Amino acid sequence: MKNSVVKGALGALAVAGVAMMAKKAIQRKRFVKGIFEEYGIREKSPFGLADKIREMDDEQYQELKGKFKKEFASGCGRRRPEAENAAEA
């Protein structure tokens, strides 16, 4: 009896994990699609994006770079600012 309960719980966790990963992948795909539309990139591939980056001036490139950093930044291994402020107080 205990084994079936553990297996069921692990199965439920696995399904939830897959659902979370799929949700994140969909969000990122929407973000990239929005970037292509915003900058008028017709070729929906990394090569089309690279061609557009070559045409950009430094200010536009830094703006685009900031958007990608914000969207694809990993939160692992970094403290949240509010956690640091609470520790100092």
Side-chain angles (χ1 to χ4, degrees):
M1 182 72 181
K2 288 184 181 179
N3 260 348
S4 63
V5 172
V6 171
K7 285 181 183 178
L10 289 175
L13 284 173
V15 169
V18 169
M20 287 173 47
M21 290 184 340
K23 180 180 175 185
K24 189 68 172 177
I26 291 169
Q27 288 174 344
R28 288 183 172 188
K29 187 175 180 179
R30 280 189 197 135
F31 169 77
V32 172
K33 186 176 179 182
I35 291 292
F36 283 134
E37 290 176 4
E38 181 180 344
Y39 288 97
I41 302 170
R42 291 190 181 129
E43 185 181 346
K44 307 290 189 223
S45 72
F47 300 110
L49 181 60
D51 289 341
K52 185 65 177 181
I53 288 173
R54 284 188 206 106
E55 296 171 1
M56 292 180 174
D57 61 6
D58 286 337
E59 183 178 319
Q60 289 175 328
Y61 174 68
Q62 292 302 325
E63 178 185 338
L64 179 65
K65 187 175 154 184
K67 288 179 183 179
F68 273 103
K69 277 188 174 183
K70 182 180 176 187
E71 179 67 24
F72 294 106
S74 173
C76 297
R78 284 189 283 179
R79 291 182 181 223
R80 293 177 297 179
E82 59 270 5
E84 289 177 7
N85 292 337
E88 291 174 0

